[in-house]
Amino acid sequence: MGQQINQYTLDRTTFGDDDYYDIDYWDGATYQTAKIKGSVIKEGIKGIGMYSQTSASLPITNTTTETSLFDGATSVGTLQVLPAQFNIGDSFHCKIGGFVTCLNNSDITIRVVSNKGLAQESILVDTGLITLPTITNRVFEIEFDFTIRTLGNQTQASIITMGELNFLQNRDLSFEGSNFCVLNNTTFNSLIGNTLDVTWEWTTASASNSITTEIVNLRKTY
């Protein structure tokens, strides 16, 4: 019997984009042998990071139109998961932060949406009305996690989303917020490309109601 791999002398501690490796992979019926490039391996394990906003968004102000919290911002990465790329248990975390100003008792609605405006649009979360107190240029954060529970088309796939909105109000500088947990097993389709969007909608149009995002990060956690 020849020397086993674990008995080889360790003479490399890094791998490069142009290195090649032999792998055995399962094609659903049998194991196949193939060659894979180092750059592909790097892409597959490089963090987990999917999307990062690199500039402030445009303010959502003086409007009652549902508007993306990402509009106008520059970014790196992608908010899209490609067709049939999901696996059961895949989990993601999104963090959104910035500054908000509003009049007392301003009502807003937050929605987490896949493929917004397309025929295959799927609303993962609709918070319903959230009433905000007087806030003057305070930091806010929206965070949520979602996990794929089952795969398939709209009648088969399911995804659960849980998250919260936190903000600092003026009165006594205390934190307030709202949370949500929603299971979508009626409109989500894991067999198509899914592009994430998060929207904000003011119930009353006022120049005193304004929100801007400064940071948006989306990453895969499992």
Side-chain angles (χ1 to χ4, degrees), residues 51 53 55-60 63 65-75 79 96 116 196-200 211-214 216:
Y51 176 90
Q53 185 170 298
S55 71
S57 70
L58 293 172
I60 303 173
T63 181
T65 300
E66 179 186 9
T67 305
S68 173
L69 286 165
F70 310 150
D71 277 3
T74 58
S75 63
L79 290 164
I96 302 168
K116 180 166 177 57
L196 180 70
D197 202 354
V198 182
T199 66
W200 182 281
I211 187 167
T212 305
T213 61
E214 296 286 346
V216 177

Side-chain angles (χ1 to χ4, degrees), residues 94-155:
C94 185
K95 181 169 185 174
I96 302 168
F99 295 93
V100 60
T101 293
C102 65
L103 301 171
N104 191 36
N105 294 324
S106 293
D107 289 331
I108 61 101
T109 301
I110 299 168
R111 296 181 181 90
V112 181
V113 188
S114 177
N115 295 335
K116 180 166 177 57
L118 302 179
Q120 293 280 2
E121 177 178 291
S122 177
I123 297 176
L124 307 184
V125 171
D126 184 327
T127 63
L129 291 180
I130 299 172
T131 302
L132 303 181
T134 303
I135 304 175
T136 306
N137 200 35
R138 301 289 186 187
V139 170
F140 79 92
E141 287 188 340
I142 300 170
E143 291 195 73
F144 58 91
D145 294 272
F146 44 99
T147 296
I148 307 299
R149 288 192 168 180
T150 56
L151 303 176
N153 60 30
Q154 297 96 319
T155 64

